[in-house]
Amino acid sequence: MKGPWVFLLLLPTLAFLVVFTYLPLAVAAKEGIPALPQLLSPENLNALRVTALYTLLTAPLSVALGLLAAVAVEGHGRLRLLARLLIFHPVILPTVGFAAVFLYLLNPLGPLRNVLQAAGFPNPLGEPLSAFLSVVIVGVLKDAGFYMLYYLAGLQSIPKELIEAARVDGAGRIVTFLRVSLPLLSPTTFFVGVMAVLGALRNVDHIFVLTKGGPLGATDHLLYRIYILGFEYFDFSQAAALSLVLFTALTLLALTALPRLERGVYYDA
């Protein structure tokens, strides 16, 4: 379909984007740009540092776990199908409910209290380092099953002739995976990596449930701080300024990734 009818069909989507995306963005820019110098406060810098560390840990770990899970459950056996279901199950659960399970398990009075005390973590959500690692682990476990599906699709798209040829040449399973399967999974890895970074920057529901940004700001994610500044402290200017920072980071990521995805170029030949 060509001509003005195309734009007519796009009008509902464009109207939705203007009302709920571009107009709020313009308001945030108007409120946030004058407050940009205030972003150098210790609390805001801490939120930026925590977000960067959280993303650097959560994204690679969730991608790696998704890949390992896909390799482990590839096939058609009943046990492997059951394993896929168990690994993917956290994905379909609400993040708040999934985090509430870990809040119960990691509570000092929860069922794991003896194990945690023996390991030297009597209150894992009450110490800065252990609380940060806890939210990282929950974030990884929540998303790994989703990335597993992409890797399963990637593994199934690899021509079986290449795998059989490597086996005939005497390559073992590990060598075949490292020399044949893993390079062919580079497009999937690139796409999943972008998704993982976006997820780490956006998904903070478990932080609301587990730590509320504490203790001592150890889990004060940027998106959580935007919420606190805007809806608890009613400091809309700083919240808008931090929103612009987050929007800029997401935009730069999109500008870097989308052209490569459209061209199908995920790694340099």
Side-chain angles (χ1 to χ4, degrees):
M1 182 181 296
K2 298 181 180 180
W5 291 105
V6 175
F7 297 98
L8 184 62
L9 294 176
L10 289 175
L11 279 179
T13 301
L14 292 176
F16 184 87
L17 289 174
V18 169
V19 174
F20 294 101
T21 301
Y22 300 126
L23 184 59
L25 179 61
V27 175
K30 179 181 178 181
E31 294 287 337
I33 290 177
L36 286 176
Q38 302 179 25
L39 295 184
L40 298 179
S41 66
E43 294 81 5
N44 292 334
L45 293 177
N46 175 70
L48 293 172
R49 179 183 63 84
V50 169
T51 304
L53 291 176
Y54 177 81
T55 304
L56 290 175
L57 282 176
T58 304
L61 288 176
S62 58
V63 171
L65 185 59
L67 175 59
L68 292 176
V71 173
V73 302
E74 184 189 13
H76 302 286
R78 292 184 178 180
L79 290 179
R80 293 187 178 185
L81 293 177
L82 178 61
R84 292 185 194 180
L85 175 63
L86 295 176
I87 296 172
F88 185 74
H89 186 250
V91 178
I92 62 178
L93 291 176
T95 305
V96 173
F98 186 70
V101 173
F102 279 86
L103 180 63
Y104 170 69
L105 294 176
L106 299 177
N107 191 291
L109 301 178
L112 298 181
R113 59 182 181 275
N114 294 331
V115 177
L116 294 173
Q117 289 178 358
F121 299 102
N123 185 11
L125 298 179
E127 299 293 334
L129 179 59
S130 58
F132 178 77
L133 294 178
S134 296
V135 298
V136 167
I137 292 173
V138 173
V140 169
L141 294 178
K142 183 67 173 64
D143 295 334
F146 182 61
Y147 306 139
M148 176 192 70
L149 292 184
Y150 288 103
Y151 276 117
L152 280 173
L155 288 171
Q156 293 172 2
S157 66
I158 296 176
K160 300 301 180 184
E161 294 80 6
L162 296 177
I163 305 297
E164 294 173 357
R167 297 288 178 84
V168 170
D169 290 339
R173 295 186 62 182
I174 297 179
V175 175
T176 301
F177 174 75
L178 294 177
R179 297 294 181 87
V180 179
S181 300
L182 191 59
L184 293 176
L185 287 174
S186 296
T188 304
T189 300
F190 181 82
F191 175 78
V192 170
V194 173
M195 294 288 291
V197 172
L198 290 174
L201 291 174
R202 296 181 304 168
N203 301 332
V204 296
D205 296 4
H206 59 298
I207 294 178
F208 278 83
V209 176
L210 292 173
T211 61
K212 298 187 183 301
L216 301 177
T219 60
D220 194 8
H221 192 282
L222 181 61
L223 194 56
Y224 179 80
R225 178 150 185 81
I226 291 172
Y227 169 80
I228 293 297
L229 287 173
F231 296 98
E232 290 195 8
Y233 299 156
F234 299 103
D235 190 348
F236 296 111
S237 59
Q238 280 202 63
L242 286 175
S243 299
L244 291 177
V245 172
L246 183 59
F247 172 79
T248 302
L250 295 175
T251 302
L252 291 176
L253 178 62
L255 292 176
T256 303
L258 288 179
R260 296 168 66 89
L261 289 172
E262 291 177 354
R263 294 195 307 266
V265 180
Y266 304 98
Y267 56 93
D268 295 330

